[in-house]
């Protein structure tokens, strides 16, 4: 890539600077920055993001009924070449704040707005499910079209020093993310998944083209229909 790649890191922990997950997100960004990437960190819990109401206005118009911080964050997401999502484990999954952000992105699921982007995820847990939670975040990005390059997760199990090797792995993951973007890395398994998703979404959008006019226009502009 000739232009400077943009990496966006989003932390879903509400603990601010005390967040261990924040340390991992920043570790990924540090690794990416070391390779020359332009990095941006966002604390999603500091933003005002309202719940999705399932009104489908975004499907029809490409915009949301809510007046909050999500549109500006959405612009950052769409502008990024690589995305890092981070969350601690809250009852076997991501935090409510990060889930609220993802729920507001249904239009990106239908429009596959992350096609061509790359992502990775990090997660922390007091006891268990950090790996599964990180993979959930990656799966959400893949649903929107992204290719994911890996995860870093840590189950502390009463050992606060477990963050130290995890931070090192996070920096390595950041370098891996930028290398994937630079080389446009392809994963045959994910390519097959994306082909299936694209075929499914094509039929869904075509079946609703008279009401989901924004999404049909997007698919048409992309040359996918």
């Amino acid at each position: 890539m000739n232009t400077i790649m943009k990496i966006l890191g989003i932390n879903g922990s509400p603990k601010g600077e005390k967040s261990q997950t924040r340390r991992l997100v920043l570790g990924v960004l540090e690794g990416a920055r070391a390779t020359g990437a332009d990095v941006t960190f966002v604390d999603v819990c500091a933003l005002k993001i309202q719940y999705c109401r399932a009104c489908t206005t975004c499907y029809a118009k490409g915009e949301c009924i809510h007046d909050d911080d999500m549109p500006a964050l959405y612009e950052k997401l769409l502008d990024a070449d690589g995305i890092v999502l981070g969350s601690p484990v809250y009852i076997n999954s991501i935090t409510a704040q990060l889930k609220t952000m993802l729920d507001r992105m249904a239009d990106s699921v239908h429009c596959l707005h992350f096609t061509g982007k790359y992502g990775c995820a990090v997660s922390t847990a007091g006891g268990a499910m950090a790996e599964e939670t990180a993979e959930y975040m990656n799966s959400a990005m893949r649903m929107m079209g992204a290719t994911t390059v890996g995860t870093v997760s840590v189950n502390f199990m009463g050992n606060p020093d477990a963050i130290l090797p995890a931070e090192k792995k996070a920096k390595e993951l950041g370098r891996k993310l930028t290398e994937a973007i630079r080389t446009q890395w392809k994963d045959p398994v994910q390519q097959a998944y994306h082909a299936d998703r694209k075929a499914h979404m094509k039929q869904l959008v075509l079946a609703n083209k008279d009401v989901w006019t924004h999404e049909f226009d997007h698919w048409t502009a992309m040359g996918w229909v």
Side-chain angles (χ1 to χ4, degrees), residues 38-61:
D38 178 22
V39 304
T40 301
F41 174 81
V42 172
D43 179 359
V44 79
C45 297
L47 303 180
K48 178 185 177 183
I49 301 178
Q50 300 186 57
Y51 297 133
C52 175
R53 295 183 181 177
C55 67
T56 72
T57 299
C58 60
Y59 302 169
K61 298 183 178 180

Side-chain angles (χ1 to χ4, degrees), residues 25-221:
V25 174
L26 291 175
V28 176
L29 294 181
E30 182 177 338
R33 184 190 292 111
T35 68
D38 178 22
V39 304
T40 301
F41 174 81
V42 172
D43 179 359
V44 79
C45 297
L47 303 180
K48 178 185 177 183
I49 301 178
Q50 300 186 57
Y51 297 133
C52 175
R53 295 183 181 177
C55 67
T56 72
T57 299
C58 60
Y59 302 169
K61 298 183 178 180
E63 58 188 38
C64 186
I65 61 170
H66 292 306
D67 180 15
D68 58 11
D69 293 329
M70 188 61 193
L73 178 56
Y74 221 146
E75 286 186 16
K76 289 184 174 68
L77 285 159
L78 295 179
D79 189 48
D81 300 299
I83 297 166
V84 186
L85 297 183
S87 178
V89 177
Y90 281 16
I91 310 185
N92 294 346
S93 190
I94 61 175
T95 61
Q97 292 91 334
L98 188 59
K99 184 62 165 62
T100 300
M101 182 199 82
L102 292 176
D103 287 348
R104 288 281 296 278
M105 300 179 68
D107 184 45
S108 280
V109 173
H110 289 180
C111 290
L112 303 175
H113 279 149
F114 284 12
T115 299
K117 299 182 187 298
Y118 289 80
C120 62
V122 299
S123 183
T124 61
M129 296 295 291
E131 297 91 345
E132 294 85 348
T133 299
E135 174 53 28
Y136 168 77
M137 288 182 277
N138 270 352
S139 71
M141 287 188 280
R142 289 194 296 268
M143 284 186 68
M144 299 176 201
T147 298
T148 58
V149 302
T151 64
V152 172
S153 56
V154 54
N155 296 300
F156 287 102
M157 301 295 291
N159 176 22
D161 290 336
I163 193 66
L164 300 177
E167 280 185 303
K168 182 178 179 180
K169 291 179 181 178
K171 294 174 185 177
E172 293 170 355
L173 183 59
R175 290 188 285 270
K176 183 178 181 181
L177 177 62
T178 56
E179 179 64 15
I181 296 169
R182 183 174 292 109
T183 62
Q184 292 295 285
W185 173 72
K186 305 298 182 186
D187 173 19
V189 173
Q190 291 189 62
Q191 284 183 296
Y193 168 82
H194 288 316
D196 287 344
R197 290 288 301 173
K198 191 172 183 179
H200 174 73
M201 286 301 158
K202 178 178 179 179
Q203 294 305 312
L204 186 64
V205 170
L206 285 174
N208 294 276
K209 65 179 182 179
D210 293 334
V211 288
W212 296 356
T213 51
H214 151 72
E215 294 189 344
F216 179 71
D217 289 345
H218 169 78
W219 275 72
T220 301

